[in-house]
């Protein structure tokens, strides 16, 4: 059962675990999405895992996002830092409130970008991350140590928003920061599809068995 819950610092949905021993998933939607968007995906990626799905606090022409941008692909990095720390604080609150283990982020597009920022700014917050169509969050990345945490980066070879060079740079940053990185470039654009689901599902089962 999904419990609509607004009693923590971010509007979100929480779906309790129905199986034991699975890391919770932190679901982070894309621009214009909301807290309901990725719940079905979460259920398919890790059946029985608890799902925690906040809504981004920024509105861009009425579309929820997790942080401000100055133009497409040009981020307001001060706001991104602030919002990533707020998201980290929300995760800690939700963990305490619901008695959850450290979650694995599953982010799409804008949600993947804030997940990358959170991994870099507060590496202890997440157990790992699935980043779908992510791009470099900070022009100059902070120093961080992910201590071998698993990260799956799924890029689109025909993505008009994330150039291949940008995705490759992000991959290098995660590797330099100690992540155990898997980077796959799919023959697709910016949208999320069946291939993402199949690869992410298998990767999650293998990386967090
Ligand atoms: C972003 O703003 O995070 C990226 O441009 C992806 C998007 O939301 O379109």
């Amino acid at each position: 059962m999904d419990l609509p819950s607004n009693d923590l610092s971010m509007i979100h949905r929480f779906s309790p675990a129905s199986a034991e021993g699975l890391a919770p998933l932190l679901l982070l939607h894309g621009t214009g999405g909301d807290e309901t968007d990725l719940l079905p995906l979460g259920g398919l990626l890790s059946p029985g895992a608890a799902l925690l799905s906040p809504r981004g606090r920024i509105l861009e022409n009425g579309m929820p996002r997790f942080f401000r941008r100055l133009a497409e692909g040009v981020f307001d990095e001060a706001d991104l830092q602030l919002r990533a720390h707020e998201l980290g604080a929300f995760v800690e609150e939700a963990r305490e409130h619901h008695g959850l283990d450290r979650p694995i982020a599953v982010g799409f597009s804008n949600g993947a970008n804030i997940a990358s920022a959170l991994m870099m700014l507060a590496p202890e917050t997440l157990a790992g991350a699935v980043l779908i169509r992510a791009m470099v969050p900070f022009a100059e990345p902070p120093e961080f140590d992910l201590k071998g945490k698993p990260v799956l980066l799924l890029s689109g070879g025909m993505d008009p928003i994330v150039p291949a060079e940008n995705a490759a740079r992000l991959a290098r940053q995660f590797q330099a920061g100690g992540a155990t990185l898997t980077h796959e470039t799919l023959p697709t654009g910016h949208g999320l599809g069946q291939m993402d689901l199949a690869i992410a599902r298998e990767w999650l089962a293998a990386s967090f068995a």
Side-chain angles (χ1 to χ4, degrees), residues 73 75 113 120 134-141 162 165-167 169-171 173:
F75 300 155
N113 295 336
M120 292 178 183
M135 59 195 295
V136 164
F138 300 112
E140 292 295 331
V162 185
E165 171 281 321
N166 188 299
R169 187 148 41 100
L170 179 61
Q173 291 179 3

Side-chain angles (χ1 to χ4, degrees), residues 17-25 46-50 100-102 104 204-205 208-209:
S18 59
E20 282 185 18
L22 296 168
L25 300 185
S46 187
L100 298 174
D101 283 341
R102 193 165 273 125
I104 303 162
L204 280 167
F208 295 92

Side-chain angles (χ1 to χ4, degrees), residues 31 65 67 69 73 75 109-110 113 135 161:
T31 300
R65 286 176 52 83
F67 59 90
R69 64 180 162 184
F75 300 155
S109 189
N110 182 245
N113 295 336
M135 59 195 295
I161 296 176

Side-chain angles (χ1 to χ4, degrees), residues 89-199:
F90 164 74
V91 169
E92 296 307 326
E93 257 177 73
R95 283 186 61 194
E96 191 167 325
H97 188 81
H98 296 295
L100 298 174
D101 283 341
R102 193 165 273 125
I104 303 162
V106 176
F108 167 60
S109 189
N110 182 245
N113 295 336
I114 197 158
S116 292
L118 183 57
M119 290 290 269
M120 292 178 183
L121 294 173
E124 67 289 352
T125 309
L126 300 170
V130 176
L131 306 171
I132 302 171
R133 311 297 181 270
M135 59 195 295
V136 164
F138 300 112
E140 292 295 331
E143 275 195 22
F144 59 96
D145 182 4
L146 283 168
K147 297 185 171 39
K149 285 191 185 173
V151 174
L152 174 63
L153 175 58
L154 293 176
S155 303
M158 293 168 279
D159 189 336
I161 296 176
V162 185
E165 171 281 321
N166 188 299
R169 187 148 41 100
L170 179 61
R172 286 196 299 276
Q173 291 179 3
F174 275 120
Q175 273 163 336
T180 300
L181 179 82
T182 305
H183 183 198
E184 295 209 23
T185 301
L186 312 180
T188 186
H190 195 70
L192 196 168
Q194 284 300 322
M195 271 183 297
D196 295 289
L197 169 60
I199 296 168

